[in-house]
Amino acid sequence: MVSTPQGCFITFEGVEGSGKTTQVELLADRLRHAGRTVVTTREPGGTPISDRIRAVVLDRQNVEIHPHTEALLMCAARAQLVHEVIQPALDAGQVIICDRYSDSTFAYQGYARGQDLATLRTLNAFATGGLAPHLTILLDLPVEDGLQRRFGAGASAASTNRMDRLDLEFHRRVAAGYHGLAQAEPDRWRLVDAQEAVDDVAAAIWEITAAALNCS
Ligand code: TYD
């Protein structure tokens, strides 16, 4: 009898411009070559309903969104994604890689926006049914470098959203929040230096993931 591989849930976190999207796809390709079935998704978004929530919460014109509304919308988008995509993929023994997840809410709405972390944890637990990633990769990069990548030469204003338009101090608090979260749960988090060349970052991520998944 062929046994179904164990499902695995991997998340990527990092400040704006840290290269998560590229690295998610490179890791997915490599895992597929290693014979795994991989689902990639992102937050906020990843289902038709979650994408509609994303459009509201990230719209640069929606300046009047209250911080509580922002937190609830992030969690609402996540609830739909968990129940429609992530949990079914895990149940089928697949690898699911998500570009941002709950830690983004703690870093952005909690540490950076100053909302109560305990309340955010309660909301998030309700949204996710307590589903936590097996492995979280933090693409670590100075905030200024990330914003330069996002807003520097070649970046179009249309590709920026309500959150990444916030000031440098906000993004510094996001980065500090990530480091605090990673220190609190060292078994789940792995830090990768995102200043290195794309291929070197991908190689570091592969080494971590292959060890965690026991594949090569
Ligand atoms: P996106 O364009 O996907 O940016 P990135 O490539 O940096 O992921 O925008 C998502 C934005 O939403 C990003 O600025 C982080 C923010 N965000 C939160 O504030 N809270 C959350 O819970 C999530 C998932 C994202």
Side-chain angles (χ1 to χ4, degrees):
M1 204 177 77
V2 180
S3 65
T4 311
Q6 283 243 294
C8 184
F9 180 25
I10 302 169
T11 58
F12 277 69
E13 298 286 353
V15 295
E16 315 297 322
S18 55
K20 292 179 286 77
T21 312
T22 304
Q23 294 299 336
V24 164
E25 287 313 319
L26 290 172
L27 177 61
D29 283 349
R30 201 147 178 190
L31 282 165
R32 289 186 184 113
H33 275 106
R36 297 298 303 254
T37 303
V38 183
V39 176
T40 60
T41 188
R42 66 156 181 193
E43 275 222 86
T47 75
I49 289 170
S50 308
D51 280 335
R52 290 178 74 173
I53 297 171
R54 176 188 175 93
V56 173
V57 75
L58 294 185
D59 187 339
R60 274 183 290 150
Q61 294 188 337
N62 284 342
V63 284
E64 64 274 71
I65 286 190
H66 189 273
H68 291 185
T69 313
E70 179 180 287
L72 288 163
L73 287 175
M74 294 296 183
C75 289
R78 183 165 306 129
Q80 192 63 33
L81 182 68
V82 165
H83 294 98
E84 196 175 322
V85 175
I86 300 177
Q87 192 63 60
L90 282 174
D91 292 345
Q94 299 171 353
V95 180
I96 173 121
I97 310 176
C98 195
D99 185 345
R100 300 193 180 280
Y101 188 63
S102 308
D103 296 302
S104 283
T105 301
F106 304 140
Y108 282 77
Q109 281 66 53
Y111 285 92
R113 194 72 96 190
Q115 298 193 70
D116 181 54
L117 272 168
T119 304
L120 292 176
R121 287 190 192 285
T122 303
L123 283 176
N124 187 63
F126 178 67
T128 62
L131 180 69
H134 298 108
L135 172 66
T136 297
I137 294 179
L138 176 57
L139 290 185
D140 202 23
L141 171 89
V143 169
E144 293 83 349
D145 293 14
L147 292 175
Q148 174 61 30
R149 283 189 194 173
R150 177 59 68 104
F151 294 111
S156 74
S159 70
T160 62
N161 63 51
R162 201 172 57 79
M163 303 301 295
D164 48 28
R165 284 270 157 210
L166 291 161
D167 63 20
L168 184 60
E169 279 313 310
F170 180 91
H171 292 291
R172 286 203 174 119
R173 291 195 295 276
V174 171
Y178 276 134
H179 287 121
L181 291 164
Q183 275 164 18
E185 272 185 277
D187 289 347
R188 174 166 68 86
W189 287 81
R190 293 288 178 278
L191 264 65
V192 171
D193 183 356
Q195 283 178 291
E196 301 294 328
V198 170
D199 288 351
D200 294 336
V201 175
I205 291 170
W206 175 247
E207 204 173 305
I208 291 165
T209 310
L213 284 176
N214 234 343
C215 59
S216 57

